[in-house]
Amino acid sequence: MTRSGGCQCGAVRYEAAGEPEHHAVCHCADCRASAGAPLVAWMAFAEGQVRLTQGTLTTYTGKTGAQRQFCPACGTGLFYTNADMLPGIIDVQSATLDTAADEVPGAQIQVAERLPWIDDLANLHAFERYPGP
């Protein structure tokens, strides 16, 4: 199976061939800071399974040497690599896949850093669209 995806503006596109090693939602502070979101979903592939099909990426190297790659035009985060902790693995932000709605994560990771209010999300008021005045 080959999955396709890309950034919000369409400048960057990629393909991931074969089956992922895993698909997990990450709660770590580093992912939160990078995405500006309370959690990020990642689908892990062997580096050789993922290829850029359109555009170029900008790379940010963090304090630990981990690299995050994103679209230089719209800023959409796409890939994460960390040669020390995850050698040979490229994590793809699974929400950027064309089939994101069909790709159900199988685990939550870094839950020690999970924001405490995440557990109560199901209890919040839910609106189908942005509530009007």
Side-chain angles (χ1 to χ4, degrees):
M1 170 181 205
T2 299
R3 294 169 174 86
S4 299
C7 67
Q8 183 177 10
C9 73
V12 176
R13 298 286 301 161
Y14 65 86
E15 288 182 348
E19 291 306 307
E21 295 197 13
H22 65 266
H23 184 198
V25 175
C26 184
H27 293 277
C28 80
D30 191 51
C31 282
R32 289 198 316 266
S34 176
L39 49 87
V40 179
W42 296 102
M43 192 173 279
F45 291 92
E47 285 180 339
Q49 291 178 273
V50 179
R51 72 180 187 94
L52 206 58
T53 59
Q54 177 181 303
T56 59
L57 298 170
T58 295
T59 301
Y60 168 76
T61 303
K63 295 177 234 171
T64 64
Q67 294 189 324
R68 294 179 183 272
Q69 293 183 301
F70 54 94
C71 172
C74 67
T76 301
L78 296 164
F79 307 129
Y80 172 90
T81 57
N82 185 326
D84 291 334
M85 292 186 64
L86 302 167
I89 298 293
I90 182 167
D91 274 326
V92 173
Q93 284 196 21
S94 60
T96 67
L97 289 164
D98 297 338
T99 56
D102 300 326
E103 306 288 355
V104 179
Q108 296 183 62
I109 59 173
Q110 300 296 84
V111 295
E113 298 178 44
R114 181 173 49 205
L115 294 171
W117 50 263
I118 292 289
D119 292 336
D120 295 326
L121 285 179
N123 297 324
L124 295 177
H125 292 285
F127 301 91
E128 191 167 320
R129 299 281 184 232
Y130 189 83

